[in-house]
Amino acid sequence: MIVLESLTKRFDNRTVVDNLSLHIRPGEFFGLLGPNGAGKTTTIRMLMTLARATSGRIIIGGQDMTRNAMALKSKIGLVPQHINLDGELTARENLDMHGRLFGLRPEERKSRITELLEFVEMPDRANEPVRKFSGGMKRRILIARALMHRPQILLLDEPTIGLDPMTRRRMWDLVRKLNTGGQTILLTTHYLEEAEALCNRVALMNKGKLVELGTPEELKTKVGPFVVETDDGGLRRSHFFPTREAGSLFIQDLQQDGKGSSVSLRASNLEDVFIHLTSGDSLSMEEGTSKRDSKTINHRAKDF
C-alpha cells in the first residue's frame, strides 16, 4: 500500500531522512519508531505532501505521489501530534468543516458525523465546544476527523502523547478497531509498549536512517529474548541472552565475583531493543556471556 524508495529529505546541510526504503502492506499496522530527531515526523509530513522530498519516491497504491499528489492525499487521514481543532467550534462543527473540505454532501456529512461520534464514544458531547474537552477527548475527536472522508490509510503521529495510562489504553482499543476494518495504519510513537501492543511490524530509525525492521518478536529475538540488568557505578546496564538459563548462569558468575547484589533477570521488551539498537549502550548476547564459554552456555540453554 505504501512504498518509500530511497526517500531523502535535507534542510540546508542537514539530512533529516536519509535514503529511507520501506514497504508497508495493505491492512498492516506499522510502527515507525526512533528517538527525537530520528526523522519520523518529517516522513509523515512528506506522506501528507506538507514537505517535499529532496530525492526518492513515495508510492501509494501503485501510484507515484509526485504525479498524483491531490488524488492520493484524499486517501490518507492524519491524526497529528498537536491538537489543531478549533476550540470555539463544537465537536460536530469541527467534523462538519472537515467533511466540507473533502467535498462530502450534506446528508453524507450528517450520517458520517453521527457514525464517528458513536465510534469514538462521544455522541453525548457532539454539541459542546471542543475547548471544554479533556486531552483524551480532543484526541478522540482528532481520530474521528481523520476518518471523515473514509481514508484507506491512517497516519497516527504520536496520537497518545500527554495522555494518562488509562486514557492511553482506551485509545489503543479505539485504533485496534480501525485496523480490524482493513485500514492501513502507520503509527509513530515514543511509547514503546504502545508499538509492541499494536503493531504487526516496526521500523527503528535513528538520525534519519533505517536501523532495523521486523515484527516486535523478531526484533526481541534478534537482540536477545532475555535481559539481565546490572548496576555499573550507578548506571543500569543491560546484557542480552538467548535463554533464561543463560541469563541465570551469568548472574551466578556475578554473584561468585561478589557483583550480583543488584541484578534482575526478565524477558526483554521492545524498549530494550530500541535502546540497544539506537544507543549501543547495552551488551549483546555474545558480549554478555561473561567468564563462561559462550558455546557452553548456548548449548546448555538449548537443552533447557
Side-chain angles (χ1 to χ4, degrees):
M1 175 58 80
I2 304 174
V3 178
L4 309 182
E5 291 185 351
S6 303
L7 193 65
T8 299
K9 178 63 178 178
R10 297 188 186 92
F11 293 102
D12 297 325
N13 296 323
R14 184 167 56 97
T15 301
V16 181
V17 178
D18 191 355
N19 200 37
L20 179 63
S21 293
L22 289 173
H23 184 184
I24 301 172
R25 304 159 187 153
E28 187 170 26
F29 203 131
F30 191 91
L32 194 59
L33 313 179
N36 288 329
K40 306 183 301 297
T41 295
T42 301
T43 300
I44 293 289
R45 287 178 59 81
M46 287 189 283
L47 282 165
M48 287 299 299
T49 71
L50 298 175
R52 179 174 294 181
T54 304
S55 61
R57 292 201 304 165
I58 299 174
I59 300 169
I60 306 289
Q63 299 183 62
D64 192 322
M65 178 162 274
T66 56
R67 300 175 183 175
N68 306 278
M70 292 306 297
L72 292 177
K73 192 172 181 179
S74 67
K75 296 182 178 182
I76 301 173
L78 172 66
V79 179
Q81 279 188 40
H82 304 293
I83 295 172
N84 58 0
L85 300 165
D86 190 320
E88 298 305 314
L89 298 182
T90 66
R92 186 185 303 278
E93 289 167 342
N94 270 278
L95 299 183
D96 185 72
M97 181 171 63
H98 189 79
R100 289 172 183 266
L101 291 173
F102 278 89
L104 274 64
R105 296 180 180 276
E107 286 304 311
E108 185 182 4
R109 291 200 307 271
K110 183 178 179 181
S111 62
R112 186 64 172 155
I113 289 169
T114 299
E115 177 186 354
L116 289 172
L117 288 172
E118 288 284 351
F119 177 74
V120 298
E121 301 175 352
M122 292 185 62
D124 57 327
R125 311 299 293 270
N127 298 313
E128 293 184 32
V130 166
R131 59 181 167 78
K132 294 184 177 182
F133 293 169
S134 67
M137 293 167 65
K138 289 175 181 176
R139 292 212 171 267
R140 280 189 271 164
I141 295 299
L142 283 176
I143 290 177
R145 187 185 67 179
L147 296 172
M148 269 296 293
H149 59 293
R150 304 181 190 276
Q152 297 175 21
I153 298 167
L154 187 63
L155 306 180
L156 304 175
D157 191 12
E158 303 283 353
T160 62
I161 190 169
L163 300 182
D164 63 81
M166 185 175 294
T167 304
R168 190 182 307 139
R169 293 300 176 104
R170 289 186 67 186
M171 291 288 285
W172 292 5
D173 292 338
L174 194 61
V175 296
R176 281 194 187 100
K177 292 179 186 177
L178 296 173
N179 193 231
T180 57
Q183 272 189 322
T184 302
I185 300 178
L186 175 58
L187 167 74
T188 74
T189 181
H190 280 118
Y191 299 114
L192 280 302
E193 77 278 12
E194 183 165 273
E196 190 165 0
L198 296 174
C199 297
N200 307 124
R201 287 191 303 151
V202 296
L204 299 182
M205 291 182 67
N206 195 26
K207 298 179 181 178
K209 292 180 178 291
L210 179 65
V211 176
E212 197 60 77
L213 174 68
T215 68
E217 289 302 318
E218 286 172 347
L219 296 185
K220 286 187 288 184
T221 299
K222 183 171 184 176
V223 170
F226 294 93
V227 59
V228 173
E229 290 188 318
T230 61
D231 183 78
D232 183 10
L235 297 175
R236 296 297 286 178
R237 299 291 302 276
S238 298
H239 308 254
F240 294 93
F241 296 91
T243 65
R244 184 178 291 276
E245 186 193 33
S248 297
L249 292 172
F250 177 67
I251 291 176
Q252 290 176 26
D253 283 342
L254 292 177
Q255 291 171 338
Q256 289 173 8
D257 292 339
K259 300 177 181 179
S261 59
S262 180
V263 298
S264 63
L265 171 62
R266 58 175 172 78
S268 63
N269 55 43
L270 197 55
E271 183 170 324
D272 298 315
V273 174
F274 175 83
I275 293 172
H276 178 72
L277 292 176
T278 59
S279 72
D281 193 34
S282 307
L283 298 181
S284 67
M285 287 187 284
E286 292 76 17
E287 293 170 314
T289 52
S290 186
K291 296 186 302 181
R292 296 177 185 267
D293 181 82
S294 62
K295 293 181 180 178
T296 302
I297 287 181
N298 288 334
H299 175 71
R300 290 183 61 183
K302 189 180 294 183
D303 292 339
F304 181 76

